[in-house]
Amino acid sequence: MIIEFIGCTGVGKTTLISEVQNRLAKTIPVTTSFNLVASPLGLNHVSNRMFRNFIQEIAVLPIFIRNLRRNKAIVTYAVRMLRRQADVSIFTINNLRGIERKIGVYEKIRGYKNNRIILVDEGTVHLAHKIFVFNNAGYTSDEIIRFASLIPVPDLIVYVRAPVENLIQRTLNRPDPPREIRKNRHLTEKYINRAVAMFDH
C-alpha cells in the first residue's frame, strides 16, 4: 500500500516517516518511495533534499513520459494553473520539474505496492502545494475540487499538522528552505498561512 504524508514546510513529515518506517520494519516489509527509486542506482544514501529531488527527476523521466497519456489531464491542468502567474520564472520551472518528479515517482512505485508498504514524502497529492500555494494568482474551491478529481491518489493520506508559529520558525531555521521564500520572514508567514488554509480546505 502507498501511504503519502502531506503538510506544510517544516511540519516534520520526513522525521515522522523515518520513525514510522523504523517501527513498521520490525514486523512488515516497508520502504520509502525514494529508496525504491534510488536503490537500483546505488544512491539511496543521499540525504540532501536538492540532490534527492534531482536523482528522482532523472530516474523517473522515462516512466513519466511512458505514462503521460494516462496522466495527461492532471499535467495539463497543473500547467494551466501555473501559467496564470504574472510571469514565467525559475520558480515556475522548478514547479514543472516537481510535477514530472511526483507523477513519475508515483508511476514507478505503484507497481510495488502489493508486496510492501511504501511511505511517500510529498507525493502526488502534495502537488497541490506547488500548484496553489506559491501561485499568486489565487484559486477557488472548485479548482481544488477539480485537482482532487484528476490526481492519481495513494491508498492512504497522512496529513501532518503543527501550530502556524511553529511552522514559521522551523521553516526560517531550515538549512534548505523553499526557494520561493528563502529566509524572508514576511514571505514565510504569507506562504505558510496560504498552505495551512489550502490543506485544511
Side-chain angles (χ1 to χ4, degrees):
M1 97 185 275
I2 299 175
I3 304 176
E4 179 179 346
F5 290 70
I6 66 171
C8 298
T9 299
V11 77
K13 296 184 296 295
T14 304
T15 302
L16 181 59
I17 286 173
S18 179
E19 181 65 23
V20 170
Q21 182 179 13
N22 289 338
R23 293 194 183 195
L24 290 179
K26 298 173 183 177
T27 56
I28 53 179
V30 60
T31 188
T32 65
S33 55
F34 176 75
N35 283 339
L36 278 180
V37 172
S39 290
L41 305 173
L43 297 172
N44 54 313
H45 63 280
V46 174
S47 59
N48 181 280
R49 179 175 293 273
M50 182 179 70
F51 291 142
R52 286 166 70 101
N53 286 345
F54 181 71
I55 290 167
Q56 292 176 96
E57 287 165 17
I58 297 301
V60 304
L61 180 58
I63 300 169
F64 172 79
I65 293 172
R66 190 161 60 243
N67 292 281
L68 188 55
R69 180 175 295 180
R70 189 209 317 268
N71 297 297
K72 180 180 178 181
I74 183 58
V75 171
T76 301
Y77 179 79
V79 170
R80 187 169 72 246
M81 291 297 295
L82 292 174
R83 286 178 59 190
R84 287 168 45 177
Q85 298 186 81
D87 59 343
V88 176
S89 66
I90 187 64
F91 303 128
T92 307
I93 303 301
N94 287 332
N95 285 336
L96 292 173
R97 289 168 53 196
I99 294 168
E100 177 266 328
R101 180 177 70 252
K102 293 176 189 299
I103 293 178
V105 167
Y106 176 84
E107 291 293 345
K108 168 80 174 178
I109 67 176
R110 72 190 190 96
Y112 293 93
K113 72 174 187 172
N114 290 329
N115 61 3
R116 73 191 80 181
I117 289 179
I118 304 168
L119 307 177
V120 183
D121 188 352
E122 301 184 0
T124 52
V125 176
H126 207 271
L127 269 175
H129 193 273
K130 290 193 171 292
I131 295 173
F132 299 114
V133 174
F134 291 123
N135 190 334
N136 289 319
Y139 59 87
T140 66
S141 295
D142 287 343
E143 286 168 337
I144 292 183
I145 293 170
R146 177 62 174 160
F147 165 84
S149 72
L150 295 174
I151 201 70
V153 295
D155 300 299
L156 180 68
I157 299 170
V158 178
Y159 176 24
V160 188
R161 303 181 68 190
V164 171
E165 187 54 40
N166 290 5
L167 294 172
I168 293 170
Q169 287 304 318
R170 290 176 190 170
T171 303
L172 289 171
N173 293 333
R174 284 180 64 149
D176 61 338
R179 295 181 183 93
E180 293 86 348
I181 56 181
R182 295 300 182 184
K183 296 287 186 177
N184 184 307
R185 183 175 182 89
H186 172 71
L187 288 178
T188 300
E189 291 180 2
K190 173 183 176 181
Y191 288 120
I192 289 293
N193 279 295
R194 282 175 62 101
V196 169
M198 187 271 298
F199 281 126
D200 283 351
H201 184 88

